[in-house]
Amino acid sequence: MHGLIQVHANAACCALFFFWACIGPLRLCRICVAEVVLLLGAEGGRAQGVVLNRPFARRVDGELAQLLLKGELSAVEAESMVVDFVRAFGRDAAVYYGGPDAQAEGGTLVHGFAELEGAQEIASGTRIYRGGAVGAIRKVLAGEASPLDFRWFIGRHDALSTSDAAWASVACARTRGVSASRGTA
């Protein structure tokens, strides 16, 4: 497939991509917006990732909780977890715009906790995990983790490509990919 990047799941999934989207001319200059994207995986020659540097919300209400949970749970399961989700993440959450694709499909959870039930390492050795929403809620409610130890993303980028020079790959380390410091990704 022309223009799509070739990735090996165990090597490239932790790479970061910079996206320079020039919005348009403003007199003599252009405004450029950089997106830093964490690759989550690749299937069928297409890479998927979430934007790390586009904060969306710091608080979560019932409606947003249901959308975020919809990414991992059935509608019935998500509805039953909304109250606990809001108790855990409602006042202090890290929710990001993950990208323009699949926004209605629910949220994606990214974190650094291997022991969460349902968590999967995005690539071997990265210590960056996705999934495990119910475990994350329980861990926060039990006081074993801070809500800001978890990053929630609405949407993602699908079919990332480097063919038009809009994306460039860089190395990734866990400390840069999913920061444990408050309020940053």
Side-chain angles (χ1 to χ4, degrees):
M1 289 186 219
H2 181 66
L4 296 177
I5 56 176
Q6 302 272 327
V7 294
H8 295 283
N10 65 345
C13 289
C14 69
L16 292 176
F17 279 75
F18 287 104
F19 178 63
W20 295 95
C22 291
I23 297 170
L26 287 178
R27 304 236 178 212
L28 299 175
C29 65
R30 296 178 74 102
I31 297 173
C32 292
V33 178
E35 287 185 346
V36 180
V37 176
L38 176 69
L39 289 183
L40 298 176
E43 292 180 27
R46 297 164 38 119
Q48 294 180 349
V50 291
V51 178
L52 295 175
N53 63 327
R54 294 286 178 255
F56 177 77
R58 296 277 301 161
R59 295 181 182 266
V60 176
D61 62 11
E63 187 177 349
L64 182 54
Q66 195 153 11
L67 175 63
L68 292 171
L69 289 169
K70 183 180 169 185
E72 282 190 47
L73 306 175
S74 71
V76 173
E77 291 171 317
E79 190 171 324
S80 72
M81 293 298 299
V82 166
V83 172
D84 285 342
F85 188 101
V86 172
R87 280 187 25 232
F89 294 97
R91 297 166 86 184
D92 206 12
V95 182
Y96 293 82
Y97 164 79
D101 304 314
Q103 291 182 354
E105 291 180 14
T108 301
L109 173 62
V110 177
H111 55 86
F113 296 97
E115 70 278 5
L116 288 184
E117 183 178 338
Q120 297 177 332
E121 193 170 24
I122 63 170
S124 181
T126 61
R127 296 181 308 147
I128 300 173
Y129 303 87
R130 70 185 288 186
V134 173
I137 294 166
R138 290 182 180 144
K139 198 168 193 67
V140 171
L141 289 177
E144 298 170 3
S146 163
L148 296 178
D149 288 335
F150 301 92
R151 300 293 184 262
W152 299 90
F153 298 89
I154 298 171
R156 65 177 179 258
H157 278 284
D158 287 336
L160 298 173
S161 172
T162 57
S163 67
D164 60 1
W167 296 92
S169 63
V170 296
C172 174
R174 183 183 180 281
T175 56
R176 293 293 154 234
V178 181
S179 174
S181 63
R182 297 179 62 82
T184 61

